[in-house]
Amino acid sequence: MPLEGDIAQRKTTFKQIGTRPIRPDGVDKVTGRARFGADASAPGMLIGKVLRSPHAHARIRKINTAKAEALAGVKAVVTRDDFKDRNDALRDVLVNCMARDKALYDGHAVAAVAATTAAIADKALKLIVVDYEVLPHVTDVDEAMKPGAPILDKTMFTNNVEPKPTKPSNVASRCEFALGDIKAGFAKADVVVERSFKTEATHQGYIEPHACLANLGPDGQGEIWVCTQGHYMIRNTCADLLGLDISKLRVTASEIGGGFGGKTTVFIEPVALALSRKSGRPVKMVMTRNEVFRATGPTSSTSMRIKVGTTRDGRITAAEADLRYQGGAFPGSPVELGAMTAFACYDLENVKAVGYDVITNRPKQAAYRAPGAPMAAFAVESVIDELAKKIRMDPVDFRLKNAAKQGTKSAYGPTFGPIGLIQTLEAIKAHPNYRAPLGPNQGRGLASGFWFNFAGQTCTTLNVNLDGTVALAVGTPDIGGSRASMCLMAAEELGIGYEQVRTIVADTSSLGYNDVTDGSRVTFASGLATIMAAREVIKKMCARAAKTWGISADAVTWEDGQAKPAGSNAGNFKPMSFKEIAAASHSTGGPLAGHHEINADGAGVSFATHLCDVEVDPETGYTRVLRYTIAQDAGKAIHPSYVEGQFQGGAAQGIGWALNEEYIYGKDGRLQNAGFLDYRIPVASDCPMIDTIIVEVANPKHPYGVRGVGETSIVPPMGAIANAVSAAIGVRMLELPMSPPRIVHALDSRLKKAAD
Amino acid sequence: MSGHHVTTTINGDSVEFVCEPQESLLDVLRNHLGLTGAKEGCGTGDCGACSIELDGRLVCSCLVLGAEAEGRKIRTIEGMAKGDKLHPLQKKFLEHAALQCGICTPGFLVAARALLERTPNPTETQVRYWLAGNLCRCTGYDKIVRAVLATAVEMKQEKRHAA
Amino acid sequence: MQFEAPETVGAAVKLLAKASGTTRMLAGGTDVLVQLRSGTVEPKLIVDLKRIAELGKIAPEKGGFRVGATVPAAAIGENVKVRKMWPGVVEAANLIGSTQIQGRATLAGNLCNGSPAADSVPALIAASAVALIAGPKGRRKVPVEKIIVGPGKTSLKKGEIVTGIVLPARPARTGDAYLRFIPRSEMDIAVVGVGVCLTLDAKGVCTAARVSLGAVAPTPLLVKAAADALIGTKVDAAALAKMAKAASAACNPIDDKRGTKEFRVKVAGVLARRAAEKALKRARGN
């Protein structure tokens, strides 16, 4: 979308943008007052709990709930029979919330109860008798693709392959993105590296389990309080699944204790509403950590083959990727995004990326920070690193020589506008950490990464109060400090103090539809809508001043937070401040408010380069991250502290993904490590300080130049760390996580090979 | 199931409650006493979001039974600020942007206070290991560790000033 | 479920002895509450030992120490005398979980939970620690290595309580050490744990040694062959290599979410060597 009208009015000098004020929700969060998903309660509230399948794959012959219903204190039991079956796009969502004919993974919801206490609800779950016919299961992506694998869905035939398959399979679809002629490209290469990689599934690992408090009356009017990245999504999905009018369901987003993409869909919310409707009482549901791991969405595990060729002087001639991502028991793995992003960092003539979306007996994957991109980037950046070594070229220089830049046509379609990849590479090269001396068993690695960033449907309302303060309502849950950024942008536009703006996340009945907080879109899109709403207020304020002065509205301009006559011709009036116009509003036409609604576009792609030093204990395979440096293009950092925080948080998640995090399944298809003890996210002593460099290449489609920053930071870490580990031990690591047993195994295998 | 009548002291106030024997102290704080500042991230002592002090020891309140609280002294996040005066750690966490989503923040603050009360001049390594039982998934710990170290410096200066 | 908090050992024993069904004791409670929460155990009776004054103390005993059953690991770490005499035991105790867990977890609880991977147990075995037991038939003392008989199983009889652990007086020129391997820097269960205690004569020749391994078999092991590899030597590289080999050979591990067999066997040898080197350094200083 071209920048038109007011959006084109771009700012490049700022009074408040780029400062680091204290976030508006800060005091509540350091005093324990902030209310998260599980912190709400209601009079007469029941506790809801879910019965989950212990089997990876089983036909559900019968569910007998009679004994549970008869237990004193049990007020409602729901099963598949309480949700109307459907055949549209929401069917998978529904089936994931409550199993129908089959349990498709360990942890799949089979029934739910609401009771007066948690203990009674737990007891009731044990009284529900489910008659299962256990079926063969498959959890590994390569196994699931083999002929003869247990088929999860006999009606599924692979999409996008010609001729259309005649047999059902676990491959939901194939996708392809290509440019040029890879055969000809590889023919021109002097050096070709081809490698196969595997990555295990990882979970977003937000510390707050899913929680909600639902209240739905027999009149079809309801409310739900929920920790989610998208309360409008909750409203629309739940209303649809329960057959309610959208307007009758009011959703309030609680404070949210992390999401990273994992809270962009429904799990317990429709169930809580159904229990509430059936019992006639408010129902609170809070997942246990075990349930979070077993039944909410991790990201895909993958199997990949990457082939890249280069000339001896470092120009990549062709690149090819085969990506196989399993997305759990339903189609929809982010393999397409993986295929689109795999080579986006490079300016290539000949490139081809093919993806396969595979289903297995695992929980339905959910978005996880730049979904699909990190795995492909790990594989591609490993091969790039190996190529650089083979042609004896500095890895930064090799990337610089092939880096995507303004005008590069990407394999997934668009031609890039102004982008900052080269700047991130140069910043890393100039950083002292790039030259820090390395000791024995230490290695250095770097990798770049790309993410699209999304924009989407957004609206905000900005109300001016009589005292000259501003109430800003946004519809995008604040997951990492975005209210501070909104306050900054409104204050910057209006020329008032940061403290004069209060931003809230409005409920679904108070503000129009907003897409989910995802795709790193909030600071861009809600920020854009906030700026536009502020500009509308300014326009109105100029008109009010004009009215006061008895001159034409065109003859008033806005400068430094004041309305002024546009020139001496307009008349000689004392400028009116924001505060004065606000105070007089009741006598100049009533309340002052600005509103903006937009289906935003142009979020601005972003790139990052990460540099990492590790030390590996060659006897135990234990890896310590010594130094970590990030350079990422933020377009324009509104609140630099929270931009740095996004960079650092992504890196830490990447450290976990690279070294220790993984879903471990037993032979029985059950998840072995459904807790924080054995699903090993990095702890404070696993991480070094994480140095950040904010690169600012303005996004032309945002008035301040903002790009999304939240997701890109998890794309490069696995490649950077794998390259560092491989350098430290002298063996190329091809699987994630690079856990100690895998590293020791790789070292021992090399010794064995050398001995043979 | 028989309810246990428990009298205890929370943030200096005498408190009575009745709980079931299997209920954790975290359940009691959150569900019976309305003290929802301590969070449940795991219920198994692995995340530290429910950190409190029990008779001067930092513990996970999810690993203490409510019935065990009889006659004990408990400190929670709700008692950290004195009236409208924030604890220096609370201030530094805000200044350093040491929180993103904020769910782990109460646990980190309670744990960090316990550290500084024992070790007023911790090294970065001491801070990291002391806080290893508090999981944060948003920040990468960088700004949290910096905030704790900065608080130690400030508290030392304030002490010197007061002396 | 019934919760009791008796104030004497006798009262606790009586409660446990007459109880029917599953019972659990709370020393620190850090394992029991997890079991309760997951529903893997539904005890009829829980006896909180923390109101029994004598169990909450560290007291001198015959030149060594008696560490009461409810003394949290943090308090052991704060005890300068224990730390000086048995640094390996203290470092093992202080590796059990996070700071928060340290505020609750106890040596007796770590032992009675019966996990083959308990951090403090190999260190206690290496240090020749003894468990003090009170039961319906009176009191008895049992070497720590005789307590755990299988994963989650102990040799304690119905109604018996471990009231404390005795750390003996440390012989001259003796040093102990404990090392464990975990994938992260903190917060994990040991994939392999090794406790070593060794004694030197005036010439620096090893006259006694105990090597104990955790997490590599259904119970913690006391590996005589590994100790024998050190005894009579100056604990030089050759002796250490032989000892490491013996440690690896003694392993009978499983493949699980925490590590492969192959990995455990190898790392047991590596850590045994490193722990012995650490213990040696301490023995030379004592």
Side-chain angles (χ1 to χ4, degrees):
Chain A
M1 191 181 69
L3 286 173
E4 279 165 8
D6 287 341
I7 302 181
Q9 197 185 322
R10 195 168 311 136
K11 264 183 152 46
T12 49
T13 56
F14 301 99
K15 286 195 171 131
Q16 306 202 49
I17 300 303
T19 62
R20 301 174 185 238
I22 286 173
R23 59 195 286 165
D25 53 323
V27 169
D28 278 355
K29 285 187 173 162
V30 297
T31 54
R33 281 206 302 251
R35 297 207 314 151
F36 290 84
D39 296 340
S41 50
M45 179 177 89
L46 303 174
I47 301 298
K49 299 241 179 186
V50 176
L51 181 70
R52 298 186 181 278
S53 167
H55 305 295
H57 196 192
R59 191 169 310 285
I60 302 170
R61 290 198 198 105
K62 213 175 141 195
I63 305 173
N64 187 338
T65 60
K67 277 187 188 161
E69 280 162 28
L71 184 68
V74 172
K75 301 296 176 186
V77 180
V78 297
T79 65
R80 56 193 176 187
D81 298 335
D82 295 86
F83 296 90
K84 206 173 149 211
D85 202 2
R86 52 199 304 150
N87 242 327
D88 58 5
L90 275 183
R91 183 168 201 272
D92 288 352
V93 174
L94 174 65
V95 176
N96 194 42
C97 290
M98 190 60 70
R100 297 204 79 83
D101 58 321
K102 290 203 291 185
L104 293 164
Y105 54 91
D106 165 37
H108 198 165
V110 175
V113 303
T116 50
T117 71
I120 294 172
D122 280 329
K123 205 168 170 188
L125 293 183
K126 289 184 184 152
L127 295 173
I128 296 173
V129 183
V130 185
D131 180 9
Y132 292 106
E133 175 195 346
V134 177
L135 302 169
H137 65 270
V138 62
T139 56
D140 178 79
V141 61
D142 291 327
E143 292 298 321
M145 291 179 81
K146 282 184 183 161
I151 298 294
L152 272 72
D153 181 351
K154 293 210 163 92
T155 67
M156 197 167 86
F157 297 84
T158 309
N159 274 331
N160 301 331
V161 283
E162 291 298 335
K164 196 168 168 56
T166 54
K167 280 187 184 165
S169 81
N170 294 321
V171 182
S173 64
R174 177 188 185 277
C175 63
E176 181 178 324
F177 298 89
L179 270 183
D181 177 347
I182 55 161
K183 214 171 163 188
F186 280 118
K188 281 189 230 163
D190 297 315
V191 182
V192 175
V193 169
E194 182 174 4
R195 293 285 203 175
S196 291
F197 299 87
K198 282 199 100 157
T199 69
E200 289 297 345
T202 55
H203 194 275
Q204 297 83 354
Y206 32 82
I207 308 300
E208 181 198 32
H210 299 258
C212 67
L213 172 59
N215 199 352
L216 179 56
D219 56 357
Q221 296 198 59
E223 294 185 334
I224 184 163
W225 159 275
V226 54
C227 59
T228 177
Q229 291 175 245
H231 46 320
Y232 295 88
M233 170 279 297
I234 295 275
R235 179 192 64 179
N236 293 4
T237 308
C238 289
D240 202 334
L241 294 180
L242 285 121
L244 308 172
D245 293 343
I246 285 179
S247 66
K248 287 189 182 157
L249 184 59
R250 181 184 185 189
V251 185
T252 306
S254 71
E255 293 295 339
I256 174 172
F260 314 104
K263 291 177 183 167
T264 56
T265 184
V266 295
F267 296 104
I268 49 175
E269 297 82 3
V271 179
L273 284 163
L275 286 168
S276 177
R277 179 160 65 185
K278 206 164 179 178
S279 64
R281 304 258 295 258
V283 174
K284 180 171 174 175
M285 295 184 82
V286 181
M287 278 196 189
T288 63
R289 179 55 53 184
N290 176 284
E291 289 180 288
V292 172
F293 277 116
R294 285 167 67 208
T296 69
T299 190
S300 295
S301 63
T302 73
S303 170
M304 300 173 283
R305 183 187 62 88
I306 308 290
K307 184 178 174 189
V308 181
T310 178
T311 60
R312 221 164 278 290
D313 65 349
R315 183 68 188 130
I316 296 172
T317 58
E320 187 185 12
D322 282 334
L323 309 176
R324 297 169 287 276
Y325 288 21
Q326 69 74 26
F330 303 91
S333 85
V335 71
E336 193 167 334
L337 300 176
M340 291 164 86
T341 56
F343 296 110
C345 288
Y346 299 99
D347 183 8
L348 304 175
E349 278 174 22
N350 308 300
V351 54
K352 183 177 166 186
V354 175
Y356 298 91
D357 178 15
V358 183
I359 65 171
T360 66
N361 294 111
R362 294 187 184 220
K364 179 172 165 51
Q365 69 81 36
Y368 178 17
R369 208 168 194 161
M375 310 78 144
F378 151 67
V380 168
E381 291 298 290
S382 295
V383 169
I384 295 291
D385 189 68
E386 204 172 339
L387 281 170
K389 283 202 166 65
K390 284 215 156 121
I391 61 167
R392 296 172 191 281
M393 197 164 177
D394 174 275
V396 172
D397 291 340
F398 185 48
R399 285 176 173 82
L400 278 170
K401 190 153 186 175
N402 294 285
K405 50 192 173 290
Q406 185 163 6
T408 294
K409 182 164 168 52
S410 64
Y412 75 90
T415 299
F416 292 133
I419 55 173
L421 174 60
I422 287 176
Q423 288 86 335
T424 67
L425 283 161
E426 284 170 346
I428 287 295
K429 201 176 175 188
H431 197 280
N433 283 356
Y434 196 58
R435 289 176 299 280
L438 289 173
N441 301 316
Q442 297 183 353
R444 175 164 298 149
L446 72 98
S448 296
F450 160 87
W451 185 242
F452 311 94
N453 298 324
F454 301 155
Q457 301 182 72
T458 311
C459 69
T460 62
T461 292
L462 196 154
N463 288 301
V464 180
N465 303 313
L466 280 176
D467 62 354
T469 62
V470 163
L472 173 63
V474 299
T476 39
D478 176 355
I479 200 157
S482 62
R483 273 166 290 188
S485 296
M486 297 307 137
C487 289
L488 276 168
M489 285 186 268
E492 181 76 42
E493 266 322 299
L494 299 171
I496 60 175
Y498 169 82
E499 299 291 338
Q500 264 78 63
V501 185
R502 177 167 168 82
T503 303
I504 61 144
V505 179
D507 67 65
T508 55
S509 297
S510 312
L511 191 65
Y513 179 80
N514 278 265
D515 281 335
V516 171
T517 292
D518 68 0
S520 304
R521 74 180 210 88
V522 169
T523 308
F524 175 83
S526 280
L528 180 57
T530 294
I531 290 165
M532 301 312 289
R535 287 179 183 178
E536 187 184 314
V537 162
I538 288 168
K539 214 179 229 173
K540 287 177 181 171
M541 284 199 154
C542 288
R544 298 289 179 94
K547 198 175 173 187
T548 308
W549 295 328
I551 63 175
S552 149
D554 301 343
V556 180
T557 64
W558 187 265
E559 267 177 53
D560 296 331
Q562 299 184 105
K564 288 180 181 169
S568 50
N569 287 347
N572 186 15
F573 302 102
K574 188 170 163 273
M576 286 184 80
S577 70
F578 185 91
K579 199 171 173 175
E580 286 165 338
I581 299 169
S585 61
H586 59 91
S587 60
T588 59
L592 277 162
H595 177 83
H596 194 76
E597 53 212 20
I598 187 170
N599 190 358
D601 195 2
V605 300
S606 101
F607 292 86
T609 300
H610 289 203
L611 175 69
C612 172
D613 289 352
V614 301
E615 181 173 321
V616 182
D617 181 336
E619 289 187 309
T620 65
Y622 176 79
T623 300
R624 192 158 67 93
V625 179
L626 304 171
R627 281 179 281 272
Y628 205 101
T629 317
I630 298 170
Q632 183 177 323
D633 180 12
K636 177 71 200 170
I638 301 298
H639 191 307
S641 294
Y642 291 103
V643 171
E644 292 162 2
Q646 290 295 328
F647 293 5
Q648 291 162 335
Q653 284 184 319
I655 289 171
W657 198 336
L659 297 179
N660 281 308
E661 289 181 33
E662 61 179 315
Y663 264 48
I664 303 170
Y665 280 90
K667 288 204 177 88
D668 56 2
R670 299 183 68 179
L671 184 62
Q672 301 290 300
N673 58 333
F676 277 136
L677 183 60
D678 288 303
Y679 183 87
R680 303 180 183 95
I681 80 171
V683 302
S685 46
D686 291 330
C687 297
M689 290 297 189
I690 299 169
D691 294 328
T692 55
I693 305 157
I694 301 174
V695 169
E696 293 185 323
V697 176
N699 172 13
K701 301 208 171 169
H702 184 276
Y704 299 171
V706 166
R707 295 175 195 272
V709 297
E711 289 163 292
T712 308
S713 54
I714 205 172
V715 184
M718 283 67 81
I721 298 165
N723 291 338
V725 169
S726 300
I729 65 173
V731 183
R732 177 58 57 183
M733 293 302 293
L734 302 169
E735 281 184 30
L736 297 185
M738 295 173 283
S739 57
R742 284 196 180 90
I743 289 179
V744 166
H745 183 77
L747 283 166
D748 287 351
S749 305
R750 185 189 53 172
L751 282 177
K752 259 181 216 148
K753 235 187 212 166
D756 288 345
Chain B
M1 260 177 256
S2 55
H4 274 261
H5 182 250
V6 176
T7 305
T8 190
T9 304
I10 303 180
N11 301 323
D13 298 329
S14 177
V15 174
E16 289 180 53
F17 59 84
V18 175
C19 69
E20 290 175 19
Q22 79 281 1
E23 280 186 292
S24 72
L25 181 55
L26 176 62
D27 291 337
V28 169
L29 291 172
R30 291 180 53 82
N31 302 337
H32 297 335
L33 302 177
L35 295 170
T36 55
K39 307 297 180 191
E40 179 170 311
C42 67
T44 50
D46 297 310
C47 80
C50 66
S51 294
I52 60 156
E53 272 187 41
L54 181 68
D55 282 351
R57 287 254 179 245
L58 180 68
V59 301
C60 288
S61 57
C62 74
L63 294 186
V64 179
L65 290 176
E68 289 183 73
E70 174 65 37
R72 306 287 188 203
K73 284 195 174 62
I74 292 164
R75 292 209 291 174
T76 71
I77 184 66
E78 284 88 352
M80 195 155 174
K82 296 291 164 237
D84 64 353
K85 196 168 177 289
L86 295 180
H87 187 278
L89 273 165
Q90 292 173 311
K91 275 193 263 177
K92 284 287 174 233
F93 265 57
L94 293 176
E95 288 166 16
H96 282 259
L99 54 143
Q100 279 175 36
C101 79
I103 192 90
C104 68
T105 309
F108 267 99
L109 286 165
V110 168
R113 177 180 61 184
L115 169 67
L116 296 184
E117 284 175 358
R118 282 166 182 76
T119 313
N121 299 305
T123 62
E124 182 193 330
T125 302
Q126 282 176 312
V127 173
R128 288 188 183 278
Y129 277 86
W130 181 275
L131 296 177
N134 292 83
L135 299 182
C136 169
R137 192 61 159 170
C138 294
T139 64
Y141 304 103
D142 183 295
K143 292 183 192 299
I144 293 173
V145 174
R146 286 180 202 277
V148 175
L149 291 169
T151 308
V153 170
E154 189 183 274
M155 286 177 81
K156 201 168 71 183
Q157 281 165 352
E158 269 175 15
K159 220 172 171 184
R160 201 179 296 150
H161 208 68
Chain C
M1 190 178 106
Q2 187 191 346
F3 173 87
E4 296 292 344
E7 294 184 1
T8 65
V9 170
V13 167
K14 212 173 268 173
L15 277 165
L16 289 161
K18 70 171 191 203
S20 60
T22 309
T23 60
R24 279 291 183 276
M25 279 167 268
L26 288 187
T30 53
D31 289 311
V32 172
L33 264 85
V34 175
Q35 294 168 356
L36 289 182
R37 167 82 189 200
S38 68
T40 52
V41 173
E42 288 178 63
K44 285 262 167 62
L45 170 69
I46 286 207
V47 178
D48 179 13
L49 303 178
K50 284 189 287 297
R51 307 267 164 193
I52 304 171
E54 67 167 294
L55 304 195
K57 291 178 191 148
I58 300 176
E61 176 141 325
K62 293 179 187 162
F65 300 96
R66 187 177 72 236
V67 181
T70 64
V71 175
I76 299 169
E78 288 159 9
N79 189 307
V80 181
K81 287 178 185 161
V82 178
R83 216 162 62 202
K84 205 163 168 231
M85 187 179 289
W86 293 108
V89 170
V90 175
E91 63 204 9
N94 288 348
L95 283 174
I96 306 170
S98 61
T99 315
Q100 286 85 341
I101 301 296
Q102 291 282 301
R104 300 285 283 173
T106 64
L107 293 180
N110 201 217
L111 177 62
C112 294
N113 187 48
S115 166
D119 275 309
S120 69
V121 177
L124 289 173
I125 291 174
S128 306
V130 171
L132 301 173
I133 296 168
K137 290 182 181 164
R139 299 201 177 214
R140 62 191 181 110
K141 294 179 182 180
V142 177
V144 166
E145 60 268 29
K146 305 271 188 215
I147 298 289
I148 301 177
V149 295
K153 288 199 180 110
T154 68
S155 57
L156 296 177
K157 300 193 176 69
K158 186 174 165 62
E160 283 191 326
I161 300 171
V162 171
T163 59
I165 304 286
V166 171
L167 296 169
R170 189 191 64 210
R173 292 181 296 276
T174 296
D176 77 327
Y178 175 78
L179 290 175
R180 69 162 182 199
F181 183 81
I182 53 170
R184 287 181 291 188
S185 58
E186 265 286 1
M187 295 305 290
D188 288 325
I189 302 289
V191 181
V192 177
V194 183
V196 175
C197 181
L198 52 85
T199 302
L200 305 175
D201 66 12
K203 288 177 186 159
V205 174
C206 179
T207 56
R210 283 166 74 87
V211 177
S212 177
L213 304 179
V216 294
T219 66
L221 304 175
L222 177 61
V223 186
K224 190 168 176 297
D228 289 347
L230 300 177
I231 294 169
T233 75
K234 287 206 161 184
V235 195
D236 51 15
L240 286 166
K242 200 173 161 199
M243 175 263 201
K245 215 170 175 185
S248 286
C251 297
N252 175 27
I254 52 168
D255 272 326
D256 73 357
K257 60 193 171 187
R258 291 171 189 153
T260 57
K261 278 185 208 171
E262 172 201 14
F263 180 77
R264 285 189 155 113
V265 168
K266 181 183 165 128
V267 172
V270 171
L271 291 197
R273 190 194 75 229
R274 292 180 185 179
E277 285 168 340
K278 205 169 171 185
L280 177 67
K281 216 173 182 182
R282 286 176 176 158
R284 283 177 179 157
N286 291 326

